[in-house]
Amino acid sequence: MPSTYDKDIQSYNFEELTSLIESLGEKKFRAKQIYEWIHVKLVSSFDEMTNLSASFREKLKEDYILSLPEIVRFQESKEDGTRKYLFKLRDGNMVETVFMRYHHGNSVCISSQVGCAMGCKFCASTLDGLERSLTPSEMLGQIYQVIKHTGERVSNVVVMGMGEPLTNYDNLVRFIELFTDEHGQNISQRNLTVSTCGIVPNIIKLADLKLQITLAISLHATTNDKRKEIMPVANTYSLDKLMDACKYYFDTTGRRITFEYALIGGVNDTAEDAAALARLAGPLSAHINLIPVNPVVERGFTAPDISATMAFKNKLEKKRINVTIRREMGRDIDGACGQLRRRHIGG
Ligand code: SAH
C-alpha cells in the first residue's frame, strides 16, 4: 500500500514504511531500524543512519526527504524556564512551539498550521489568515527538535499552538498515531491534548475513533450570540450543536472534556456568565480551564483583575465544577499564541 505522504518518509506509519522497504528489495527488519532512527533517535538526515549500507542510504536520499524544522529563534523565561521556539519549515514558513516545565513533567505546545483561518477576535495567530496546514512530520518535528535541544524528556503534548487542528484532521490523526506508536516515542494517548474552537463534524469523527486523548474545547462564551461576536466559527456551528457534539464525544470515548474559557474583562466575566458556564459544564462533568486573556494590542482585550478572576472561579466551584486557572507561563517572553512569529515576520 503506497503512503499518501509520498516523499515525506517521517510521516509514514510503521506499516507503510515496512511495505516501502520491502518494495525496495530490502529486508523487513530495516524498516524497524529506519523507524527507530526517525522516531526514537530523532535524526535529521539519512546520513546518520549508520547501520544501513551507504548505497541504500543514497537510494533513500534520492527519493525521500528527511529533516527537522530549523530553530530560528529561541527565548527562555527567567521566571519559570519556559522556552519558546520559532521554527523554520522546509518551505521557509515559520511556526511557534513552546516548552513548559511542570512538576509532573515537561510539556510541549505545538502548532498544527501556519497561521489560522478561524478569526477568533482575541487571538494573534489568526490576524494574517491561514497560510497552510502542517504535515504529520512537521508536527512531530517540533517536538523532536525540542527534545534534542533541551536534552530532556517530554511527557505531555498539547496541540494548542497556531492553527485549528480539526481543520487539519487527517494529518492530525496520523500525527497522533505516529507519536503514540510503540515503535516510536510510545507516549500514552492520555498525555496528548487536542484543542479545537469547535469544528463539530470533526469532533464527531474524532469521537468515533475512540482515542484516549483529551479533547479541549475553546468555549470562551456561554451564549451563541456572544460567542459569535468573538469566535466567527459559531456562525457555522452553533453552541447547541457544539454541546451535542461534546456530549457525543464524552459518551463515546468516556473521556472528560476540558472547556477553555479565556476571561476577557467586560466581555464574558459576569456572574451570569459563570452561572451559564456551570450549566454547560455540569452535565458533561467537564473540566474548566480559566485563562486570563493574554492582551493582544491589536484587539484591545484585557483580563479582569485577579480578584474578579478568583470570584469567577469561586462561583463555578460553588456549583461543584472542576475548575483551574491556567498558570501563566513565560510571561516575559511573548506569551500568547502567534506573538513571537508576528514579531519576527514584522506583522
Ligand atoms: N484552534 C485551536 C487551538 C489553538 S488556540 C483552538 O481554538 O482551541 C489555543 C488556545 O489559546 C485556545 O483556547 C485559544 O482560544 C486560546 N487563546 C488564543 N488567544 C488567546 C489569548 N490572547 N489569550 C488567552 N487565550 C488565547
Side-chain angles (χ1 to χ4, degrees):
M1 176 193 48
S3 169
T4 50
Y5 291 104
D6 194 29
K7 291 178 181 307
D8 176 13
I9 200 165
Q10 289 160 302
S11 290
Y12 280 44
N13 64 19
F14 189 68
E15 196 190 346
E16 290 169 349
L17 190 67
T18 305
S19 44
L20 169 70
I21 298 310
E22 287 184 311
S23 75
L24 295 174
E26 294 282 339
K27 294 252 165 46
K28 212 174 166 167
F29 75 93
R30 296 283 177 206
K32 196 159 179 250
Q33 289 178 330
I34 295 172
Y35 200 90
E36 192 172 287
W37 282 115
I38 296 175
H39 299 286
V40 181
K41 296 178 182 157
L42 315 182
V43 298
S44 55
S45 69
F46 291 108
D47 290 332
E48 293 164 77
M49 302 184 179
T50 47
N51 56 5
L52 305 184
S53 70
S55 62
F56 186 33
R57 290 199 309 248
E58 284 307 314
K59 195 152 75 177
L60 290 171
K61 244 159 68 179
E62 269 168 35
D63 292 327
Y64 297 92
I65 43 173
L66 174 60
S67 67
L68 288 174
E70 182 194 330
I71 301 174
V72 201
R73 255 184 86 181
F74 113 90
Q75 299 177 307
E76 179 157 11
S77 162
K78 292 190 181 64
E79 291 174 16
D80 54 31
T82 295
R83 291 184 179 193
K84 193 145 188 179
Y85 292 87
L86 187 68
F87 284 124
K88 191 193 263 180
L89 306 172
R90 275 190 286 266
D91 65 354
N93 271 307
M94 312 263 191
V95 291
E96 292 183 25
T97 306
V98 186
F99 171 82
M100 291 159 287
R101 297 171 205 273
Y102 292 102
H103 292 305
H104 59 264
N106 297 324
S107 187
V108 174
C109 173
I110 62 164
S111 294
S112 58
Q113 295 180 319
V114 181
C116 184
M118 295 296 111
C120 297
K121 294 284 195 291
F122 44 82
C123 182
S125 298
T126 199
L127 290 168
D128 300 316
L130 173 68
E131 184 64 34
R132 69 171 175 86
S133 284
L134 298 191
T135 61
S137 63
E138 288 170 332
M139 290 187 251
L140 285 170
Q142 297 169 59
I143 306 167
Y144 292 176
Q145 196 63 287
V146 168
I147 293 175
K148 288 177 84 165
H149 189 252
T150 57
E152 293 187 34
R153 287 169 53 103
V154 165
S155 50
N156 289 278
V157 166
V158 296
V159 188
M160 282 194 190
M162 265 195 281
E164 170 45 53
L166 291 192
T167 60
N168 186 16
Y169 183 85
D170 291 340
N171 287 343
L172 175 81
V173 170
R174 171 56 62 96
F175 157 76
I176 297 171
E177 181 192 353
L178 294 174
F179 190 54
T180 56
D181 192 314
E182 57 175 356
H183 299 95
Q185 290 288 312
N186 198 11
I187 297 280
S188 159
Q189 287 182 2
R190 287 172 177 259
N191 294 353
L192 205 66
T193 297
V194 172
S195 177
T196 177
C197 65
I199 311 295
V200 165
N202 288 348
I203 293 173
I204 290 165
K205 240 167 108 177
L206 191 65
D208 288 334
L209 295 181
K210 295 195 168 64
L211 303 178
Q212 288 299 295
I213 61 169
T214 298
L215 184 67
I217 304 284
S218 294
L219 195 62
H220 306 321
T222 53
T223 66
N224 202 42
D225 283 344
K226 199 176 270 185
R227 202 160 184 267
K228 275 199 234 171
E229 282 171 26
I230 52 174
M231 300 180 72
V233 68
N235 291 300
T236 312
Y237 305 111
S238 70
L239 186 59
D240 284 350
K241 290 255 159 40
L242 178 57
M243 287 304 127
D244 288 347
C246 288
K247 180 165 187 333
Y248 183 78
Y249 191 93
F250 180 47
D251 290 346
T252 308
T253 64
R255 299 283 295 159
R256 283 186 192 185
I257 283 178
T258 296
F259 286 143
E260 287 161 278
Y261 195 88
L263 277 170
I264 312 173
V267 174
N268 63 2
D269 62 343
T270 64
E272 294 89 78
D273 288 317
L277 187 53
R279 282 196 297 276
L280 294 175
L284 290 168
S285 308
H287 175 91
I288 294 179
N289 203 355
L290 295 176
I291 316 160
V293 76
N294 243 314
V296 174
V297 272
E298 290 89 342
R299 301 293 189 195
F301 289 141
T302 52
D305 64 26
I306 186 71
S307 63
T309 304
M310 291 309 291
F312 196 92
K313 177 173 184 255
N314 289 341
K315 286 196 183 76
L316 292 169
E317 280 174 340
K318 281 211 179 92
K319 305 269 184 201
R320 296 176 192 285
I321 304 293
N322 185 332
V323 53
T324 44
I325 298 180
R326 188 188 289 170
R327 222 177 99 206
E328 272 188 84
M329 305 283 279
R331 234 181 338 187
D332 51 335
I333 54 164
D334 294 337
C337 326
Q339 288 188 352
L340 182 62
R341 171 172 171 268
R342 266 185 82 67
R343 209 143 297 181
H344 190 82
I345 62 179

